[in-house]
Amino acid sequence: VRCQQYPPLRALQASAVLSGASDEHKKDSWASSSQQHFESPPAGHQPEEKSQGPHPSYTGQGGQESEDYESEEQLQHRILTAALEFVPEHGWTAEAIAEGAKTLGLSVAAAGLFHSDGSELILHFVSECNSKLSELLKKEQKLVQLGEAEKKPIDEFLRDAVETRLRMLIPYIEKWPQALSVLLLPRNIPSSLSLLTSMIDDIWHYAGDQSTDFNWYTRRAVLTAIYNTTELVMMQDSSPGFEDTWRFLENRVADAMTMSNTATQVQSTGEAVVQGLMGAAVTVSN
Amino acid sequence: RGLAAGPEMHFGFQTVTEEERREKIYQVFENVAKKYDVMNDSMTLGIHRVWKDILVHKMNPCPGTLLLDVAGGTGDIAFRFINYVRSVRQRQLQRKLKHHQNLSWQEIFESYQNDKFNNSLGDSQVVVCDINREMLKVGKQKAQHLGYSEGLSWVLGNAEELPFDDDKFDVYTIAFGIRNVTRIDLALQEAYRVLKPGGRFLCLEFSHVSNPLLSRLYDLYSFQVIPVLGEVIAGDWRSYQYLVESIRQFPPQEELKAMIEDAGFFRVDYENLNFGIVAIHSGFKL
């Protein structure tokens, strides 16, 4: 699926404007129908480059300028999105990024902007999947609020959320083990861990108030364990439509539910036992 | 007109005019051309090979890259580039074959046909450009001797005024050459001009050592040993005196970085090799 909302020409436009400062610019031939600004840069392009600050981007600020002006970060974002298409063939590598850059009209050397092990590409993909999941969960929640859908019981909700998220891996499943190992590199662990925890938190957030049985940390740990183990099972799964994986998921979620019930049971049994002992102690003392 | 035919410049530790500088440098390289590689090996104790390897590794070119190697006289970078791209291409082909395990004889035959068509370099090409005819001659002889023929071309040209069209190349390299360019700013602007959007600028050059102890040792070695080696091996003390002096006159890392940014490049940074004896500067045309 190509994320090309903007034709390749835009990349050239963007780069033309980014570099539009210099007067000796011979890029007049690229002056397309839309806006082309050769404004003098505020003290060179440094502010834009270093602070990555104001992103007067596609949100329509400042009229004409906004559509052409693109920060380096956004350009990187676009290159990585375009590169995803080539991952099934080339893996999570600089080659995939190079191909992606080519589709945007940039030189293949632009892959040099990123690490050669593909870390940024993988992290980008994970964060995109997480955003997609959030969107879907939000939509679902809205439907429930509007009364157009039934509120799911907690175990079904968790199961569906994890399944939806894992299904996003299917087009890339062959190369996903490679991605997992890259995510475990010490350099990447902070980012990959934070992406994982924020996704888990997101799911719990949309799960609603039903989650009062667990306390906050156990909730996180339980769902993280379910997600990670299911992901690993999925890597090995060769059943049609990954039905083995979904069955595994169902069992793990069920386990988690019984565990929470057992936990409360244990707690209340514990309390009962303590009370019994107290009573016995009082009786004995009297 | 006055005595000076142009602005004052440095030639090593002497002060000369722009024109004189160009002439003198031309003569230096005319004299050393035949012994250039031998001298490199003896002066740097062979370490220059590692520096050049690191440069090409940093470039990480994929097949299909178009490289312009400026001041590339004897072809060191060009040959390394070809080797690198060839091995990447091999790996690509192996991967493709692994994918297609069950090929009919017809398909195998066709795939061999296709590979002959797209040469073993995957359409990568390198253009070696140098201002000095003697250096190019030596380079061509070396290429013939080592067996490099595909994807290689030799062009006589001045880095300050390249004989190429705009937006042609994926990567521009200049290894140990920018020091000898009289107007560095013009060379950088030309580099910017001939690069495609997304293209990469890479510069390998002697730079400044910040560590004081090392700096003293380095100075000692440079001024006492190298000119002597020059006299003994190449029979030309003056040229190597010039070389050592020109290294001292060259702008340090941060200054060169600023100059590259002025030419319009983004994401400019440098990597010190051997504590700053040599530095690789990199920038992107975005």
Side-chain angles (χ1 to χ4, degrees):
Chain A
V1 173
R2 245 194 231 191
C3 177
Q4 274 206 329
Q5 304 144 326
Y6 308 95
L9 184 59
R10 197 165 266 281
L12 305 182
Q13 266 187 344
S15 66
V17 175
L18 273 183
S19 51
S22 85
D23 298 304
E24 288 116 42
H25 230 59
K26 302 167 195 164
K27 294 208 194 326
D28 300 279
S29 50
W30 290 356
S32 62
S33 53
S34 54
Q35 329 74 352
Q36 187 103 53
H37 270 234
F38 284 162
E39 61 224 345
S40 51
H45 339 264
Q46 311 320 39
E48 174 266 316
E49 183 196 4
K50 291 217 171 82
S51 65
Q52 309 262 347
H55 294 250
S57 67
Y58 313 118
T59 52
Q61 283 179 34
Q64 289 190 330
E65 292 176 297
S66 59
E67 284 184 43
D68 284 345
Y69 184 81
E70 182 185 52
S71 79
E72 224 179 275
E73 209 174 292
Q74 287 169 334
L75 181 65
Q76 289 185 7
H77 189 93
R78 275 197 309 133
I79 296 178
L80 291 178
T81 312
L84 287 177
E85 182 187 336
F86 299 95
V87 167
E89 187 188 339
H90 293 278
W92 304 92
T93 57
E95 275 164 43
I97 303 179
E99 292 288 326
K102 237 202 294 193
T103 60
L104 293 179
L106 294 173
S107 153
V108 290
L113 284 165
F114 310 98
H115 267 114
S116 50
D117 59 8
S119 305
E120 285 104 334
L121 183 57
I122 302 172
L123 289 171
H124 170 86
F125 173 68
V126 169
S127 116
E128 289 281 303
C129 286
N130 292 355
S131 317
K132 254 190 269 179
L133 181 68
S134 289
E135 293 261 333
L136 289 169
L137 291 177
K138 204 195 294 193
K139 259 190 246 173
E140 224 179 82
Q141 189 189 52
K142 232 179 235 152
L143 290 178
V144 169
Q145 281 174 352
L146 295 175
E148 295 178 15
E150 282 290 309
K151 186 159 191 172
K152 291 187 200 162
I154 183 77
D155 59 342
E156 195 183 318
F157 180 88
L158 293 179
R159 219 186 328 140
D160 284 345
V162 173
E163 183 178 331
T164 312
R165 176 62 178 78
L166 285 176
R167 277 190 185 273
M168 298 182 195
L169 298 179
I170 293 181
Y172 308 95
I173 194 97
E174 256 186 48
K175 310 282 181 178
W176 192 244
Q178 176 200 357
L180 282 180
S181 63
V182 170
L183 285 175
L184 286 174
L185 289 175
R187 180 170 25 101
N188 294 327
I189 286 187
S191 331
S192 66
L193 206 55
S194 89
L195 282 172
L196 178 65
T197 44
S198 58
M199 183 218 358
I200 300 289
D201 283 347
D202 242 1
I203 298 182
W204 275 119
H205 168 79
Y206 288 106
D209 333 295
Q210 300 168 350
S211 42
T212 46
D213 310 74
F214 304 78
N215 78 38
W216 197 68
Y217 280 106
T218 15
R219 264 191 276 154
R220 247 191 183 189
V222 163
L223 189 53
T224 311
I226 296 178
Y227 181 85
N228 282 338
T229 45
T230 316
E231 191 177 24
L232 290 176
V233 166
M234 197 175 168
M235 299 294 108
Q236 312 273 3
D237 190 4
S238 49
S239 63
F242 295 98
E243 50 190 35
D244 285 350
T245 310
W246 310 136
R247 213 172 323 126
F248 176 88
L249 173 62
E250 199 179 320
N251 293 338
R252 294 292 76 68
V253 172
D255 282 348
M257 296 297 122
T258 20
M259 200 174 57
S260 92
N261 289 341
T262 326
T264 19
Q265 273 179 13
V266 165
Q267 206 182 26
S268 45
T269 319
E271 282 172 1
V273 167
V274 165
Q275 277 191 2
L277 284 177
M278 290 285 284
V282 167
T283 321
V284 164
S285 64
N286 286 352
Chain B
R1 285 288 168 86
L3 281 166
E8 299 267 287
M9 309 221 84
H10 57 81
F11 175 75
F13 290 157
Q14 303 170 32
T15 317
V16 297
T17 64
E18 230 178 78
E19 252 323 292
E20 282 180 334
R21 188 172 194 268
R22 284 203 189 93
E23 270 175 46
K24 283 175 129 62
I25 293 182
Y26 193 91
Q27 274 169 19
V28 164
F29 282 94
E30 206 174 33
N31 295 340
V32 308
K34 293 211 171 62
K35 294 286 178 124
Y36 186 70
D37 292 322
V38 173
M39 272 308 293
N40 280 348
D41 274 332
S42 42
M43 281 194 296
T44 61
L45 307 173
I47 303 179
H48 74 107
R49 295 164 190 250
V50 177
W51 291 333
K52 290 170 182 161
D53 284 340
I54 295 179
L55 178 68
V56 175
H57 260 91
K58 193 174 168 107
M59 192 197 310
N60 193 16
C62 57
T65 301
L66 201 52
L67 169 67
L68 174 65
D69 183 27
V70 175
T74 51
D76 279 342
I77 302 291
F79 302 149
R80 282 174 172 76
F81 170 80
I82 292 178
N83 290 342
Y84 196 99
V85 155
R86 201 176 269 154
S87 64
V88 173
R89 180 80 179 141
Q90 288 275 39
R91 251 185 292 138
Q92 265 184 358
L93 292 174
Q94 274 177 358
R95 239 185 300 143
K96 241 193 255 184
L97 283 180
K98 248 199 248 175
H99 249 248
H100 308 137
Q101 281 298 348
N102 306 320
L103 289 182
S104 67
W105 285 116
Q106 180 65 19
E107 285 167 314
I108 296 178
F109 175 69
E110 273 168 10
S111 80
Y112 277 137
Q113 293 267 3
N114 288 339
D115 289 345
K116 280 228 170 73
F117 227 56
N118 317 334
N119 53 37
S120 60
L121 296 180
D123 295 328
S124 325
Q125 267 196 64
V126 51
V127 177
V128 180
C129 178
D130 201 289
I131 197 175
N132 196 300
R133 231 175 230 115
E134 287 305 312
M135 295 287 279
L136 281 180
K137 229 198 284 184
V138 172
K140 281 193 210 165
Q141 284 170 357
K142 231 167 86 175
Q144 218 175 14
H145 182 71
L146 294 171
Y148 290 101
S149 52
E150 273 182 309
L152 190 54
S153 21
W154 308 85
V155 174
L156 188 70
N158 182 349
E160 296 166 6
E161 208 182 326
L162 291 171
F164 304 109
D165 281 334
D166 300 2
D167 312 317
K168 276 267 132 34
F169 296 97
D170 292 307
V171 185
Y172 173 111
T173 51
I174 183 163
F176 300 118
I178 203 163
R179 203 178 68 248
N180 303 309
V181 169
T182 306
R183 290 283 305 277
I184 297 182
D185 53 337
L186 291 181
L188 292 174
Q189 281 172 27
E190 280 294 277
Y192 191 86
R193 180 179 70 79
V194 301
L195 277 175
K196 283 189 209 163
R200 189 172 194 183
F201 169 86
L202 284 166
C203 166
L204 175 67
E205 190 54 81
F206 288 107
S207 205
H208 286 240
V209 180
S210 42
N211 181 319
L213 174 62
L214 208 59
S215 166
R216 283 254 291 278
L217 289 172
Y218 181 48
D219 282 347
L220 205 71
Y221 179 74
S222 298
F223 286 102
Q224 306 302 331
V225 178
I226 290 183
V228 174
L229 279 178
E231 184 56 43
V232 166
I233 297 181
D236 187 351
W237 156 71
R238 276 226 164 73
S239 297
Y240 288 94
Q241 181 73 18
Y242 158 72
L243 177 121
V244 172
E245 291 174 359
S246 68
I247 294 177
R248 294 299 173 295
Q249 291 284 45
F250 191 68
Q253 287 88 330
E254 283 292 327
E255 212 179 298
L256 182 60
K257 174 176 169 195
M259 289 172 79
I260 299 174
E261 280 170 348
D262 282 342
F265 290 100
F266 283 88
R267 275 282 216 99
V268 182
D269 68 21
Y270 58 86
E271 186 186 334
N272 275 340
L273 302 178
N274 290 114
F275 298 107
I277 296 182
V278 157
I280 300 181
H281 281 74
S282 156
F284 288 88
K285 174 176 177 173
L286 289 179

